[in-house]
Amino acid sequence: MRVLCVAEKNSIAKSVASILGGGQVKRRDTKSKYIKNYDFTFDFGGYIGTAQVTMTSVSGHLTEASFPSEYNSWSSVPQDILFDARIVTSVSKNANVLADNIKKEARNATYLYIWTDCDREGEHIGMEITNVAKISNPRIHVIRADFNNLEKRHIIQASKRPRELSKDAADAVSARIELDFRLGAIFTRLQTLQLQRAFEVLQNKVISYGPCQFPTLGFVVDRWQRVEDFVPENFWSLKLVDKRERQTVNFSWKRNRVYDRLAAILFLENCLDAKIAKVVKVNKKPAKRYKPIPLSTVELTKMGPKYLRLSSKKTLELAESLYTNGFVSYPRTETDQFDAGMDLQGIIGKLAPSEDWGTYAQGLLDGNYRTPRKGKHNDRAHPPIHPINLVHRSALSSQDHWKVYELITRRFLACCSENAIGAETIVDLQMGDEFFSQKGLVILERNYLDVYPYDKWTGTGQLPVYQVNEEFIPNVLNITDSVTTSPSYLTEPELISLMDANGIGTDATMADHIEKVQEREYVIKRKKRGAATEFVPSSLGIALAKGYDEIGLEWSLTKPFLRKEMEDQLKNIEKGQLDRDALVQMTLTQFRDVFHLTKQRFDCLKNSCRLYLIELNEG
DNA sequence: GCAAGGTC
């Protein structure tokens, strides 16, 4: 009996082989330097029993979609033909050696045991592997492992309880692949050809459309528009100052601000008439600053730009490099909760010899350890990102590698710590009919803050003593006038939050889309004052967004709704509630209308480009 | 020369 096991990536193949094979695993090289074949014997029990096992892997998707070559010419093929042109699915160039490996290893196997990640893409990759294996062995039996972590007991259990691949999940992915491919090609060709023809400055540019890149651009343009539309407004506020015990206490007005000067004067007069302020409430309560939740990919890609001066893309790349070198766990995960079974203190133990956070880690082991908080996500495939091994900064290839490793490690230690604890005093005053209040915060125990410099919690200090019902005459009582400040342009973490909330891209691809809109010169990253960066749309980016708005589609292509709707429907396919072909046809019908209207009203895009690329640029 | 999603 021979069983061929295939995982989504080498790291899983290696781990699973070492669990199932015990110490008796033989490693064979393949023609790919990333992929190995692992041979061992294992008793699967049940109908398979003891078998000779080869465990190998692919490296993500094996195949890619393309049109037959007669559709290659942009200029001679009308774009709308691509709505129903045949799509050829073939093994992608760099996956050929992997496909050959599977064909060869499948030849003498009775079972093909799929060990891809248990998510939607993993089911599809499983189908791709199946199709390739059946070329050399049409009779091979296909089963699939149901696993969501690499704990020994769990993996052994999964090996004895296979299930079938989910056709529904794979169908959802295949719908996504077809739609993204067709629509990307159709609208990219349309926009590029028409705009290149009309504008000299665009002649060498590809004006791509993508269902993720366009909404990404849209978010940047929306914020830019809000900044453009901003009109400063005057507002007025009451200021009440009390001086006692050599402290100056600024009370803030409960109404915060009013936009009418006369109103402010009336409120002030009401206070002045009362002459004295009365303490109506003194509330002392414990205050807490919660430690962070375990680190997911989305959160990591936000922290890079925010705290490390690295782009989201670069942050993820560095984390991947740390992962392949065995320093941190798998960096592409939605999970922000640790499974109860994980030995977190064991990891802390490995971190304890460090000269950077060793003392802190030892403190956790000596009694300060607290169970991490749980976030709301669990992809049932990977744990939150955490350190695997201690590494010295001199052993890493760059300072940036160290910055990311340090962030992941400090985040992990913070997760295993106690919340920061403080004491808060809130004093409420009444003067006439108006109310004022001030808060004093004293930090009592910093706890996780000691190892986690990315969080700041600054105490405002102790307030002087106030007694309830005490009355006093304020030292200062007057009106302040100010002007509202403009919103700021979108930052990278804000953009990622918007993409995340609207289902644009996946955790691992958001950074790519952000990179892509810059590469296409739709969006420009620029430095704010200080270290931070912000995104502004280019003239071309604005022109595209405005132009599509003008066309008057029900949902503009630069808005996130279309993608969000598609995501929801993919979930329905996954649940078996919607047919794959039905969704594809429905969506293509919808986009045929979008295409014809866009083509018919293409002048909107041209006019918009003329305005933003030429006229406004000349001024 | 087109997309987005895996992965190294």
Side-chain angles (χ1 to χ4, degrees), chain A residues 509-533:
Chain A
T509 61
M510 286 181 221
D512 292 329
H513 300 312
I514 294 173
E515 188 95 336
K516 182 63 88 179
V517 292
Q518 293 174 81
E519 184 191 319
R520 294 290 185 228
E521 297 179 40
Y522 299 161
V523 164
I524 297 158
K525 182 192 276 193
R526 69 177 191 202
K527 274 216 158 32
K528 277 163 85 160
R529 266 181 302 151
T533 55

PDB file of all heavy atoms in Angstrom, chain A residues 509-533:
ATOM      1  N   THR A 509      -2.834  39.807   0.841  1.00  0.00           N
ATOM      2  CA  THR A 509      -2.719  40.506  -0.443  1.00  0.00           C
ATOM      3  C   THR A 509      -2.965  42.015  -0.343  1.00  0.00           C
ATOM      4  O   THR A 509      -2.677  42.736  -1.286  1.00  0.00           O
ATOM      5  CB  THR A 509      -3.714  39.950  -1.478  1.00  0.00           C
ATOM      6  OG1 THR A 509      -5.046  40.138  -0.996  1.00  0.00           O
ATOM      7  CG2 THR A 509      -3.467  38.494  -1.753  1.00  0.00           C
ATOM      8  N   MET A 510      -3.487  42.478   0.783  1.00  0.00           N
ATOM      9  CA  MET A 510      -3.768  43.917   0.892  1.00  0.00           C
ATOM     10  C   MET A 510      -2.528  44.758   0.604  1.00  0.00           C
ATOM     11  O   MET A 510      -2.595  45.754  -0.112  1.00  0.00           O
ATOM     12  CB  MET A 510      -4.303  44.238   2.285  1.00  0.00           C
ATOM     13  CG  MET A 510      -5.729  43.783   2.474  1.00  0.00           C
ATOM     14  SD  MET A 510      -6.265  44.226   4.123  1.00  0.00           S
ATOM     15  CE  MET A 510      -7.137  42.775   4.548  1.00  0.00           C
ATOM     16  N   ALA A 511      -1.414  44.327   1.173  1.00  0.00           N
ATOM     17  CA  ALA A 511      -0.175  45.071   0.950  1.00  0.00           C
ATOM     18  C   ALA A 511       0.193  45.083  -0.538  1.00  0.00           C
ATOM     19  O   ALA A 511       0.699  46.090  -1.049  1.00  0.00           O
ATOM     20  CB  ALA A 511       0.956  44.464   1.776  1.00  0.00           C
ATOM     21  N   ASP A 512      -0.104  43.990  -1.246  1.00  0.00           N
ATOM     22  CA  ASP A 512       0.177  43.932  -2.685  1.00  0.00           C
ATOM     23  C   ASP A 512      -0.664  44.944  -3.457  1.00  0.00           C
ATOM     24  O   ASP A 512      -0.194  45.578  -4.393  1.00  0.00           O
ATOM     25  CB  ASP A 512      -0.126  42.533  -3.246  1.00  0.00           C
ATOM     26  CG  ASP A 512       0.835  41.491  -2.720  1.00  0.00           C
ATOM     27  OD1 ASP A 512       1.988  41.852  -2.447  1.00  0.00           O
ATOM     28  OD2 ASP A 512       0.427  40.334  -2.570  1.00  0.00           O
ATOM     29  N   HIS A 513      -1.937  45.044  -3.091  1.00  0.00           N
ATOM     30  CA  HIS A 513      -2.811  45.976  -3.803  1.00  0.00           C
ATOM     31  C   HIS A 513      -2.359  47.427  -3.590  1.00  0.00           C
ATOM     32  O   HIS A 513      -2.398  48.242  -4.501  1.00  0.00           O
ATOM     33  CB  HIS A 513      -4.260  45.809  -3.356  1.00  0.00           C
ATOM     34  CG  HIS A 513      -4.789  44.426  -3.600  1.00  0.00           C
ATOM     35  ND1 HIS A 513      -4.630  43.774  -4.808  1.00  0.00           N
ATOM     36  CD2 HIS A 513      -5.446  43.554  -2.804  1.00  0.00           C
ATOM     37  CE1 HIS A 513      -5.174  42.570  -4.726  1.00  0.00           C
ATOM     38  NE2 HIS A 513      -5.665  42.405  -3.523  1.00  0.00           N
ATOM     39  N   ILE A 514      -1.917  47.702  -2.377  1.00  0.00           N
ATOM     40  CA  ILE A 514      -1.432  49.049  -2.074  1.00  0.00           C
ATOM     41  C   ILE A 514      -0.186  49.341  -2.920  1.00  0.00           C
ATOM     42  O   ILE A 514      -0.021  50.433  -3.462  1.00  0.00           O
ATOM     43  CB  ILE A 514      -1.128  49.186  -0.565  1.00  0.00           C
ATOM     44  CG1 ILE A 514      -2.441  49.072   0.224  1.00  0.00           C
ATOM     45  CG2 ILE A 514      -0.423  50.496  -0.268  1.00  0.00           C
ATOM     46  CD1 ILE A 514      -2.260  49.029   1.727  1.00  0.00           C
ATOM     47  N   GLU A 515       0.657  48.327  -3.045  1.00  0.00           N
ATOM     48  CA  GLU A 515       1.851  48.462  -3.878  1.00  0.00           C
ATOM     49  C   GLU A 515       1.461  48.678  -5.351  1.00  0.00           C
ATOM     50  O   GLU A 515       2.028  49.503  -6.058  1.00  0.00           O
ATOM     51  CB  GLU A 515       2.668  47.166  -3.737  1.00  0.00           C
ATOM     52  CG  GLU A 515       4.020  47.204  -4.378  1.00  0.00           C
ATOM     53  CD  GLU A 515       5.112  47.585  -3.391  1.00  0.00           C
ATOM     54  OE1 GLU A 515       4.791  48.241  -2.376  1.00  0.00           O
ATOM     55  OE2 GLU A 515       6.268  47.235  -3.651  1.00  0.00           O
ATOM     56  N   LYS A 516       0.459  47.912  -5.785  1.00  0.00           N
ATOM     57  CA  LYS A 516       0.046  47.951  -7.183  1.00  0.00           C
ATOM     58  C   LYS A 516      -0.487  49.333  -7.593  1.00  0.00           C
ATOM     59  O   LYS A 516      -0.137  49.840  -8.658  1.00  0.00           O
ATOM     60  CB  LYS A 516      -1.028  46.875  -7.414  1.00  0.00           C
ATOM     61  CG  LYS A 516      -1.532  46.744  -8.840  1.00  0.00           C
ATOM     62  CD  LYS A 516      -0.447  46.317  -9.812  1.00  0.00           C
ATOM     63  CE  LYS A 516      -0.333  44.815  -9.910  1.00  0.00           C
ATOM     64  NZ  LYS A 516       0.696  44.389 -10.878  1.00  0.00           N
ATOM     65  N   VAL A 517      -1.314  49.950  -6.766  1.00  0.00           N
ATOM     66  CA  VAL A 517      -1.855  51.251  -7.155  1.00  0.00           C
ATOM     67  C   VAL A 517      -0.758  52.319  -7.194  1.00  0.00           C
ATOM     68  O   VAL A 517      -0.889  53.323  -7.901  1.00  0.00           O
ATOM     69  CB  VAL A 517      -3.030  51.715  -6.255  1.00  0.00           C
ATOM     70  CG1 VAL A 517      -4.244  50.821  -6.464  1.00  0.00           C
ATOM     71  CG2 VAL A 517      -2.654  51.768  -4.791  1.00  0.00           C
ATOM     72  N   GLN A 518       0.323  52.080  -6.462  1.00  0.00           N
ATOM     73  CA  GLN A 518       1.454  53.008  -6.565  1.00  0.00           C
ATOM     74  C   GLN A 518       2.252  52.749  -7.837  1.00  0.00           C
ATOM     75  O   GLN A 518       2.667  53.668  -8.524  1.00  0.00           O
ATOM     76  CB  GLN A 518       2.360  52.887  -5.335  1.00  0.00           C
ATOM     77  CG  GLN A 518       1.695  53.355  -4.059  1.00  0.00           C
ATOM     78  CD  GLN A 518       2.552  53.097  -2.851  1.00  0.00           C
ATOM     79  OE1 GLN A 518       3.467  53.838  -2.534  1.00  0.00           O
ATOM     80  NE2 GLN A 518       2.258  52.006  -2.147  1.00  0.00           N
ATOM     81  N   GLU A 519       2.447  51.455  -8.137  1.00  0.00           N
ATOM     82  CA  GLU A 519       3.173  51.081  -9.345  1.00  0.00           C
ATOM     83  C   GLU A 519       2.460  51.626 -10.587  1.00  0.00           C
ATOM     84  O   GLU A 519       3.098  52.076 -11.540  1.00  0.00           O
ATOM     85  CB  GLU A 519       3.241  49.546  -9.393  1.00  0.00           C
ATOM     86  CG  GLU A 519       4.028  48.963 -10.530  1.00  0.00           C
ATOM     87  CD  GLU A 519       3.782  47.452 -10.619  1.00  0.00           C
ATOM     88  OE1 GLU A 519       3.721  46.789  -9.557  1.00  0.00           O
ATOM     89  OE2 GLU A 519       3.633  46.945 -11.751  1.00  0.00           O
ATOM     90  N   ARG A 520       1.137  51.608 -10.556  1.00  0.00           N
ATOM     91  CA  ARG A 520       0.348  52.115 -11.680  1.00  0.00           C
ATOM     92  C   ARG A 520       0.284  53.638 -11.708  1.00  0.00           C
ATOM     93  O   ARG A 520      -0.353  54.223 -12.588  1.00  0.00           O
ATOM     94  CB  ARG A 520      -1.081  51.571 -11.610  1.00  0.00           C
ATOM     95  CG  ARG A 520      -1.185  50.082 -11.802  1.00  0.00           C
ATOM     96  CD  ARG A 520      -0.889  49.663 -13.213  1.00  0.00           C
ATOM     97  NE  ARG A 520      -1.116  48.237 -13.401  1.00  0.00           N
ATOM     98  CZ  ARG A 520      -0.268  47.421 -13.991  1.00  0.00           C
ATOM     99  NH1 ARG A 520       0.873  47.876 -14.469  1.00  0.00           N
ATOM    100  NH2 ARG A 520      -0.566  46.157 -14.129  1.00  0.00           N
ATOM    101  N   GLU A 521       0.864  54.236 -10.695  1.00  0.00           N
ATOM    102  CA  GLU A 521       0.864  55.694 -10.569  1.00  0.00           C
ATOM    103  C   GLU A 521      -0.544  56.263 -10.420  1.00  0.00           C
ATOM    104  O   GLU A 521      -0.866  57.330 -10.954  1.00  0.00           O
ATOM    105  CB  GLU A 521       1.618  56.345 -11.735  1.00  0.00           C
ATOM    106  CG  GLU A 521       3.096  55.942 -11.738  1.00  0.00           C
ATOM    107  CD  GLU A 521       3.874  56.556 -12.890  1.00  0.00           C
ATOM    108  OE1 GLU A 521       3.620  57.725 -13.191  1.00  0.00           O
ATOM    109  OE2 GLU A 521       4.718  55.849 -13.468  1.00  0.00           O
ATOM    110  N   TYR A 522      -1.393  55.525  -9.707  1.00  0.00           N
ATOM    111  CA  TYR A 522      -2.709  56.055  -9.333  1.00  0.00           C
ATOM    112  C   TYR A 522      -2.609  56.783  -7.996  1.00  0.00           C
ATOM    113  O   TYR A 522      -3.394  57.662  -7.689  1.00  0.00           O
ATOM    114  CB  TYR A 522      -3.746  54.933  -9.170  1.00  0.00           C
ATOM    115  CG  TYR A 522      -4.033  54.102 -10.399  1.00  0.00           C
ATOM    116  CD1 TYR A 522      -4.637  52.849 -10.287  1.00  0.00           C
ATOM    117  CD2 TYR A 522      -3.735  54.571 -11.677  1.00  0.00           C
ATOM    118  CE1 TYR A 522      -4.920  52.081 -11.392  1.00  0.00           C
ATOM    119  CE2 TYR A 522      -4.021  53.802 -12.792  1.00  0.00           C
ATOM    120  CZ  TYR A 522      -4.605  52.560 -12.648  1.00  0.00           C
ATOM    121  OH  TYR A 522      -4.887  51.793 -13.747  1.00  0.00           O
ATOM    122  N   VAL A 523      -1.651  56.320  -7.199  1.00  0.00           N
ATOM    123  CA  VAL A 523      -1.535  56.799  -5.820  1.00  0.00           C
ATOM    124  C   VAL A 523      -0.069  57.096  -5.531  1.00  0.00           C
ATOM    125  O   VAL A 523       0.819  56.397  -6.019  1.00  0.00           O
ATOM    126  CB  VAL A 523      -2.068  55.708  -4.849  1.00  0.00           C
ATOM    127  CG1 VAL A 523      -1.627  55.977  -3.429  1.00  0.00           C
ATOM    128  CG2 VAL A 523      -3.586  55.609  -4.926  1.00  0.00           C
ATOM    129  N   ILE A 524       0.152  58.163  -4.771  1.00  0.00           N
ATOM    130  CA  ILE A 524       1.516  58.551  -4.431  1.00  0.00           C
ATOM    131  C   ILE A 524       1.677  58.523  -2.916  1.00  0.00           C
ATOM    132  O   ILE A 524       0.810  59.016  -2.187  1.00  0.00           O
ATOM    133  CB  ILE A 524       1.810  59.975  -4.949  1.00  0.00           C
ATOM    134  CG1 ILE A 524       1.719  59.999  -6.475  1.00  0.00           C
ATOM    135  CG2 ILE A 524       3.177  60.457  -4.475  1.00  0.00           C
ATOM    136  CD1 ILE A 524       1.455  61.375  -7.032  1.00  0.00           C
ATOM    137  N   LYS A 525       2.759  57.904  -2.475  1.00  0.00           N
ATOM    138  CA  LYS A 525       3.041  57.921  -1.048  1.00  0.00           C
ATOM    139  C   LYS A 525       3.952  59.100  -0.779  1.00  0.00           C
ATOM    140  O   LYS A 525       4.945  59.294  -1.468  1.00  0.00           O
ATOM    141  CB  LYS A 525       3.752  56.630  -0.643  1.00  0.00           C
ATOM    142  CG  LYS A 525       4.033  56.556   0.843  1.00  0.00           C
ATOM    143  CD  LYS A 525       4.978  55.435   1.174  1.00  0.00           C
ATOM    144  CE  LYS A 525       4.235  54.127   1.312  1.00  0.00           C
ATOM    145  NZ  LYS A 525       5.059  53.068   1.926  1.00  0.00           N
ATOM    146  N   ARG A 526       3.616  59.903   0.192  1.00  0.00           N
ATOM    147  CA  ARG A 526       4.534  60.995   0.495  1.00  0.00           C
ATOM    148  C   ARG A 526       4.700  61.167   1.992  1.00  0.00           C
ATOM    149  O   ARG A 526       3.877  60.733   2.784  1.00  0.00           O
ATOM    150  CB  ARG A 526       4.079  62.278  -0.182  1.00  0.00           C
ATOM    151  CG  ARG A 526       2.827  62.852   0.391  1.00  0.00           C
ATOM    152  CD  ARG A 526       2.503  64.164  -0.312  1.00  0.00           C
ATOM    153  NE  ARG A 526       1.446  64.824   0.425  1.00  0.00           N
ATOM    154  CZ  ARG A 526       0.654  65.738  -0.086  1.00  0.00           C
ATOM    155  NH1 ARG A 526       0.783  66.123  -1.340  1.00  0.00           N
ATOM    156  NH2 ARG A 526      -0.275  66.302   0.656  1.00  0.00           N
ATOM    157  N   LYS A 527       5.791  61.805   2.316  1.00  0.00           N
ATOM    158  CA  LYS A 527       6.146  61.965   3.719  1.00  0.00           C
ATOM    159  C   LYS A 527       5.364  63.107   4.349  1.00  0.00           C
ATOM    160  O   LYS A 527       5.286  64.196   3.795  1.00  0.00           O
ATOM    161  CB  LYS A 527       7.653  62.272   3.816  1.00  0.00           C
ATOM    162  CG  LYS A 527       8.519  61.052   3.851  1.00  0.00           C
ATOM    163  CD  LYS A 527       9.713  61.275   4.770  1.00  0.00           C
ATOM    164  CE  LYS A 527      10.332  59.987   5.275  1.00  0.00           C
ATOM    165  NZ  LYS A 527      10.266  58.864   4.353  1.00  0.00           N
ATOM    166  N   LYS A 528       4.777  62.808   5.488  1.00  0.00           N
ATOM    167  CA  LYS A 528       4.210  63.892   6.277  1.00  0.00           C
ATOM    168  C   LYS A 528       5.335  64.516   7.075  1.00  0.00           C
ATOM    169  O   LYS A 528       6.462  64.030   7.067  1.00  0.00           O
ATOM    170  CB  LYS A 528       3.198  63.316   7.286  1.00  0.00           C
ATOM    171  CG  LYS A 528       1.837  63.075   6.731  1.00  0.00           C
ATOM    172  CD  LYS A 528       1.055  62.159   7.639  1.00  0.00           C
ATOM    173  CE  LYS A 528       0.355  62.893   8.783  1.00  0.00           C
ATOM    174  NZ  LYS A 528      -0.745  62.069   9.319  1.00  0.00           N
ATOM    175  N   ARG A 529       4.998  65.531   7.821  1.00  0.00           N
ATOM    176  CA  ARG A 529       6.010  66.042   8.739  1.00  0.00           C
ATOM    177  C   ARG A 529       6.317  64.957   9.751  1.00  0.00           C
ATOM    178  O   ARG A 529       5.434  64.224  10.168  1.00  0.00           O
ATOM    179  CB  ARG A 529       5.501  67.297   9.449  1.00  0.00           C
ATOM    180  CG  ARG A 529       5.953  68.569   8.711  1.00  0.00           C
ATOM    181  CD  ARG A 529       5.458  69.786   9.434  1.00  0.00           C
ATOM    182  NE  ARG A 529       3.999  69.758   9.537  1.00  0.00           N
ATOM    183  CZ  ARG A 529       3.319  70.330  10.529  1.00  0.00           C
ATOM    184  NH1 ARG A 529       3.964  70.950  11.490  1.00  0.00           N
ATOM    185  NH2 ARG A 529       2.003  70.289  10.543  1.00  0.00           N
ATOM    186  N   GLY A 530       7.566  64.824  10.130  1.00  0.00           N
ATOM    187  CA  GLY A 530       7.942  63.737  11.013  1.00  0.00           C
ATOM    188  C   GLY A 530       8.139  62.469  10.200  1.00  0.00           C
ATOM    189  O   GLY A 530       8.490  62.524   9.038  1.00  0.00           O
ATOM    190  N   ALA A 531       7.897  61.336  10.824  1.00  0.00           N
ATOM    191  CA  ALA A 531       8.228  60.072  10.177  1.00  0.00           C
ATOM    192  C   ALA A 531       7.094  59.519   9.332  1.00  0.00           C
ATOM    193  O   ALA A 531       7.323  58.787   8.387  1.00  0.00           O
ATOM    194  CB  ALA A 531       8.602  59.053  11.244  1.00  0.00           C
ATOM    195  N   ALA A 532       5.868  59.896   9.672  1.00  0.00           N
ATOM    196  CA  ALA A 532       4.722  59.223   9.069  1.00  0.00           C
ATOM    197  C   ALA A 532       4.605  59.519   7.578  1.00  0.00           C
ATOM    198  O   ALA A 532       5.142  60.492   7.067  1.00  0.00           O
ATOM    199  CB  ALA A 532       3.451  59.651   9.780  1.00  0.00           C
ATOM    200  N   THR A 533       3.902  58.620   6.875  1.00  0.00           N
ATOM    201  CA  THR A 533       3.649  58.828   5.457  1.00  0.00           C
ATOM    202  C   THR A 533       2.143  58.843   5.234  1.00  0.00           C
ATOM    203  O   THR A 533       1.366  58.370   6.057  1.00  0.00           O
ATOM    204  CB  THR A 533       4.256  57.706   4.608  1.00  0.00           C
ATOM    205  OG1 THR A 533       3.751  56.472   5.086  1.00  0.00           O
ATOM    206  CG2 THR A 533       5.756  57.714   4.677  1.00  0.00           C
TER     207      THR A 533
END
